[in-house]
Amino acid sequence: GENVEQHPSTLSVQEGDSAVIKCTYSDSASNYFPWYKQELGKGPQLIIDIRSNVGEKKDQRIAVTLNKTAKHFSLHITETQPEDSAVYFCAASATHNAGGTSYGKLTFGQGTILTVHP
Amino acid sequence: DADVTQTPRNRITKTGKRIMLECSQTKGHDRMYWYRQDPGLGLRLIYYSFDVKDINKGEISDGYSVSRQAQAKFSLSLESAIPNQTALYFCATSVGTIYNEQFFGPGTRLTVL
């Protein structure tokens, strides 16, 4: 089945710095790559996603990049703020049933604990 | 009111006990999911359901069972709880369109002694 690896497991930055989290996936049928943010005591919440027909997507201070050839995608947060401190998860999914195992399901990475120091 | 609710929010039980975790949603979504979260392991899929008559095993279904009582309700059962099932459990829902944004409940923290 699909396997998603996420690095680093913890990331500590100063307020105003940039943060980058990287993920790799294994199933070439995967074509949808969301990122979720989990604040303390809450369930994960989607913050941005990217689809396989796009190489980059940006939403204010957050951007995602995708390299389908290398099977990796990354989350970039610029001008970090203390409220960005949370656990971030990448995920991969196949939105068409092409015989792979990731159709209709999200396979998550292991998570990154981001701490932004004031 | 929250769109996806889970009960109980916290539960402590003993080895061998049967326990049920419940999930309800008011979003009108067809698809529902159960995950467990363990430190360093991310979110792992236990079971998922694309509609009321559809139940599928996820990557770690052993020791668990589910029931989809209605479109809005999806329950997870541990028939005989064991300590390594101590974890944070999340229910999620999605619309079932091409792109699979999932909406998560607040989680249930389960401790098996």
Side-chain angles (χ1 to χ4, degrees):
Chain A
E2 174 66 279
N3 182 50
V4 178
E5 297 288 332
Q6 181 173 347
H7 298 281
S9 57
T10 61
L11 181 58
S12 182
V13 301
Q14 290 296 127
E15 183 176 1
D17 288 349
S18 295
V20 180
I21 303 171
K22 298 182 178 182
C23 290
T24 61
Y25 63 99
S26 62
D27 188 349
S28 57
S30 291
N31 61 346
Y32 173 62
F33 307 93
W35 287 86
Y36 284 78
K37 176 183 180 181
Q38 184 182 23
E39 297 178 342
L40 197 61
K42 297 183 178 180
Q45 185 172 10
L46 179 72
I47 55 172
I48 195 167
D49 56 20
I50 191 166
R51 301 163 190 183
S52 61
N53 59 346
V54 175
E56 183 174 357
K57 182 178 179 180
K58 190 172 182 180
D59 183 4
Q60 300 183 337
R61 297 186 296 107
I62 296 174
V64 290
T65 58
L66 171 65
N67 182 329
K68 283 217 71 178
T69 302
K71 294 196 181 75
H72 66 70
F73 56 113
S74 300
L75 177 71
H76 305 252
I77 306 174
T78 59
E79 301 173 21
T80 54
Q81 301 167 3
E83 51 265 38
D84 294 328
S85 296
V87 181
Y88 291 81
F89 293 98
C90 63
S93 177
T95 59
H96 296 86
N97 191 354
T101 60
S102 60
Y103 169 65
K105 304 180 289 183
L106 290 177
T107 300
F108 286 87
Q110 296 84 354
T112 297
I113 302 172
L114 174 64
T115 304
V116 181
H117 299 282
Chain B
D1 289 339
D3 295 320
V4 183
T5 57
Q6 293 183 234
T7 55
R9 293 294 313 276
N10 290 280
R11 181 72 182 266
I12 300 173
T13 191
K14 295 182 179 180
T15 297
K17 295 291 187 180
R18 183 179 188 275
I19 185 167
M20 180 181 288
L21 308 183
E22 298 186 348
C23 177
S24 295
Q25 53 115 346
T26 58
K27 300 185 78 66
H29 290 172
D30 287 328
R31 297 183 179 186
M32 299 187 74
Y33 310 80
W34 275 105
Y35 294 91
R36 66 176 279 175
Q37 182 178 9
D38 300 276
L41 295 177
L43 293 153
R44 292 182 292 166
L45 184 63
I46 307 172
Y47 271 95
Y48 61 106
S49 170
F50 282 178
D51 62 44
V52 175
K53 296 181 180 179
D54 176 77
I55 302 289
N56 303 282
K57 292 183 177 180
E59 61 181 301
I60 54 163
S61 60
D62 287 349
Y64 302 94
S65 62
V66 291
S67 173
R68 185 83 184 265
Q69 301 95 323
Q71 185 202 38
K73 296 184 182 295
F74 193 35
S75 300
L76 176 72
S77 293
L78 287 68
E79 296 301 325
S80 179
I82 56 177
N84 77 358
Q85 291 177 313
T86 293
L88 188 54
Y89 290 84
F90 287 101
C91 173
T93 73
S94 68
V95 175
T97 56
I98 294 177
Y99 297 105
N100 194 19
E101 177 180 0
Q102 294 187 12
F103 296 84
F104 285 79
T108 294
R109 184 166 296 281
L110 176 65
T111 303
V112 183
L113 302 176

